[in-house]
Every structure is written in C-alpha cells, then in structure tokens.
Amino acid sequence: MNKSDQDIITEYLSGNEIAFNELIQRYMTSVYTFTYGLTHSVQDAEDITQDTFVKAWKNIKKYDKKYTFKTWVLTIARNTTYDFFRKKKNIPFSAFDNTDGDNVLTAQLADEQPLALEISVLAEDKDILDTAIEQLPPVYKEVISLRYGQDLTFEEMSVVVKRPLNTVKSQVRRGLIALKEVLRAPK
Amino acid sequence: MKHTLSDNLSVTPRESLYATIVARIDMEKVRHARRQFGRLVSGAIASFVLFIGAVQYATLQFTQSEFPQYLSLILSEKTDLFNYWREFLYALTESLPLLSITIFLGAFGVMLFFIQKTLKNFGSVLPHATLIS
C-alpha cells in the first residue's frame, strides 16, 4: 500500500535519509511539467526542478501540514522560476504579478470545463496546442498549467500563485478564452 | 488524435533527471555536513581555550585559598584530625574555591561535548556518508 506524503515526511524526519527520494519520484514530473510550461526550455526546466527539490529538502522541517505536499512543492517551483526569470531578465516580473484585480462577479463564472473541451476540439494536434499556449501571457500560461497540467483545485492554485481565489478563477477562464482566440486566429 | 488540455500540458522529463536531483541533494548534504563540522571544530577549539583558562583560574584560586594548608594537616596532624574530624571537614569544605571548581567542571563538560560531536560528525564530511545528527 502506498504511503501518504505525510508518512514519508515523518519517516524522513525520524532519520530515514532515503525516504525523501520517494517524494522526488512522486512529484518530479509535476514540477518539471509546470516549470517547462513556463520556460519552454528543457535545460531551464531541469535546472529549476533540481533547485526546487533542493530547496524543498532544505526546508522540509518548515513544511506546513495544512497544505498538500504537491501544493507546497509547486509553490517553491513557482518562486524558483520567478527568481530564474529575474536573473535572466527576459520576462518582466510585472507580467506574473498582474492580478487583474478582485472581481466579485467572477465568482459566479460558469464552470470552465466546456471551454476546455472546446479548445481540445479546436486544436488539431498536440503541437498546435503547444504553440498556442506558448503565445499566451505568462500569467495565463501559469494558471492553465496548474489547473490542467497539475490538476490542482482553485484553492490550491490560489495558495501556489499567492493570488485571491476569485482572481485565479478569473484568470483561468480568461486564459482559456485567450487560448481559444489564438487557435481560431487565421494561420 | 484529439488531445485534452491535460494531455498537452503533461511533459515527460529525461530519465536522468531523478538521478541528477538525488546526486545534487547528496552534494548539499556533504556541504552542510562540512559547514557543521567546521562549526563544531571551531567550538571544540574555543571550548579547549576556555578549559585552559578555567584550569589556570582554578589553580590560582586553589593556591590562594586555605584549602592546601588544611589538606596538608592530613599528613602532619593525623592524631588531632582523628579527634576533630568534623571540624576539619567543615574547614576543608569552607575553604574550597567553589566558583572556580564550578567553572572548571562547566568548561570541561562543554569541551567534552564539542569533542564528542566533532568526532561523531567526522565521517559525514566525506562524500556519500550520511549526516549524523
């Protein structure tokens, strides 16, 4: 039977040095997928993934049980990616900090699943969808990656990206709309 | 073939990435152990210096106190001591330089602590060794 993340962390903190490796195996693909979605560079995504797990290992004693480990490690991955972009200075930091404001009406947004399905229909293949996503602003790429790449709930996403819940919902919907527009645009 | 959004966003990393991450963490463990070892060695040296100071202080306090004179009575006045053994013990105890003894024992304990920790962690500064906490 698979151990829970909590059990593995407890085991690691009790002295089992290799227990942490199981967490790496579980979440390496998630972290890599997320960072690749933002950087679109294999080398950069690998470097950031390594840095993320090193930071997670260093700070494992500070891990707060009220969040899932996945949420926590993706938060580290996000912050590490931002630091990486700041050092490279090729993407303005403000692009990630665009909160779009708090809009109470967006709390009433309809389920975004029909939009996601529509996009799957519009995109003829994976490469076309990949190219379209690449054209989105970083803030939309980030939330779409977390929602559909990592299967996070809106609440978990709100924790990772440190933005209000309604803002995150709004950004996912706007991101999907923007993606649909890109796919519909004449080639 | 149609892909869902989730399919498209899932990317498989290279097989070597896991081994690279584990190796990187192992390197960090050795670096951390070396930094810790450095701190322990510094602590051991500082505690040794403190211990030397405590020994010198205790020696000075002992020679300046009346304890050596009372102690020498054991050799010179054995018969009288036997009759007045209670008074002799009180005098001996009162003349003890307690503060310097306390400082000496404290410094000795701290030095032993650092030496023990340093020796225990010596192995962990080598690569592929695990940190002993």
Side-chain angles (χ1 to χ4, degrees):
Chain A
M1 189 177 168
N2 267 350
K3 287 183 221 166
S4 71
D5 293 344
Q6 267 312 313
D7 289 341
I8 294 172
I9 293 170
T10 304
E11 214 176 294
Y12 174 75
L13 292 173
S14 302
N16 181 357
E17 288 287 325
I18 58 169
F20 191 82
N21 294 355
E22 197 169 333
L23 290 171
I24 299 172
Q25 279 179 326
R26 283 187 187 182
Y27 296 106
M28 183 183 73
T29 302
S30 292
V31 171
Y32 179 81
T33 300
F34 176 61
T35 55
Y36 182 81
L38 295 176
T39 61
H40 275 262
S41 159
V42 168
Q43 191 55 58
D44 292 344
E46 286 187 347
D47 290 344
I48 295 170
T49 302
Q50 286 179 46
D51 289 345
T52 298
F53 280 105
V54 169
K55 286 180 187 175
W57 168 76
K58 281 183 180 172
N59 293 287
I60 194 67
K61 287 179 185 170
K62 296 180 192 168
Y63 165 64
D64 190 345
K65 290 176 201 174
K66 72 180 180 202
Y67 304 113
T68 64
F69 183 81
K70 186 174 184 179
T71 306
W72 186 67
V73 81
L74 284 175
T75 306
I76 297 173
R78 180 185 180 267
N79 295 338
T80 306
T81 308
Y82 284 6
D83 292 341
F84 172 81
F85 282 136
R86 260 192 233 110
K87 283 179 194 158
K88 278 188 105 172
K89 292 179 186 163
N90 59 354
I91 292 193
F93 186 63
S94 58
F96 284 93
D97 266 357
N98 178 17
T99 60
D100 284 340
D102 257 348
N103 186 345
V104 175
L105 290 178
T106 59
Q108 316 302 324
L109 286 175
D111 184 10
E112 87 280 13
Q113 290 305 323
L115 255 180
L117 280 170
E118 197 181 335
I119 285 164
S120 303
V121 169
L122 276 173
E124 290 167 8
D125 63 29
K126 189 174 160 68
D127 287 337
I128 290 174
L129 197 45
D130 202 34
T131 307
I133 290 171
E134 181 56 18
Q135 293 177 49
L136 296 179
V139 67
Y140 292 155
K141 266 198 284 194
E142 179 184 50
V143 294
I144 287 175
S145 174
L146 288 172
R147 179 73 176 150
Y148 296 99
Q150 305 302 326
D151 292 325
L152 295 191
T153 63
F154 285 117
E155 288 76 15
E156 287 171 333
M157 285 169 62
S158 175
V159 170
V160 172
V161 304
K162 296 186 183 68
R163 293 195 281 271
L165 182 61
N166 290 341
T167 304
V168 166
K169 286 181 180 176
S170 155
Q171 286 172 343
V172 167
R173 184 164 176 84
R174 290 201 181 108
L176 290 173
I177 292 169
L179 186 55
K180 196 171 80 167
E181 293 309 311
V182 169
L183 287 167
R184 277 188 170 158
K187 293 172 182 62
Chain B
M1 185 180 163
K2 297 294 179 190
H3 288 268
T4 64
L5 211 41
S6 294
D7 291 335
N8 193 76
L9 290 168
S10 176
V11 186
T12 307
R14 287 195 277 218
E15 278 178 23
S16 57
L17 182 57
Y18 170 73
T20 307
I21 294 171
V22 170
R24 175 96 185 264
I25 290 177
D26 282 345
M27 265 173 51
E28 288 292 325
K29 283 180 186 174
V30 173
R31 264 194 220 125
H32 172 79
R34 283 180 183 158
R35 279 195 296 267
Q36 177 133 335
F37 185 73
R39 283 193 286 267
L40 286 172
V41 167
S42 304
I45 292 170
S47 66
F48 179 70
V49 169
L50 187 74
F51 176 69
I52 298 297
V55 166
Q56 288 173 336
Y57 178 65
T59 308
L60 183 68
Q61 291 298 304
F62 263 95
T63 50
Q64 285 180 351
S65 73
E66 291 169 328
F67 184 83
Q69 285 94 314
Y70 282 122
L71 205 59
S72 68
L73 290 175
I74 293 173
L75 298 168
S76 58
E77 308 285 340
K78 282 182 208 158
T79 315
D80 287 335
L81 279 178
F82 186 76
N83 293 329
Y84 299 99
W85 66 270
R86 277 199 194 89
E87 287 79 6
F88 171 71
L89 274 177
Y90 287 146
L92 201 65
T93 312
E94 274 183 350
S95 67
L96 272 176
L98 287 175
L99 178 64
S100 63
I101 291 172
T102 307
I103 292 171
F104 169 80
L105 289 174
F108 184 64
V110 168
M111 185 182 68
L112 275 185
F113 169 80
F114 274 105
I115 290 173
Q116 186 210 24
K117 283 280 186 182
T118 305
L119 291 173
K120 226 176 162 185
N121 276 283
F122 177 71
S124 63
V125 300
L126 304 169
H128 309 298
T130 50
L131 181 67
I132 302 165
S133 55

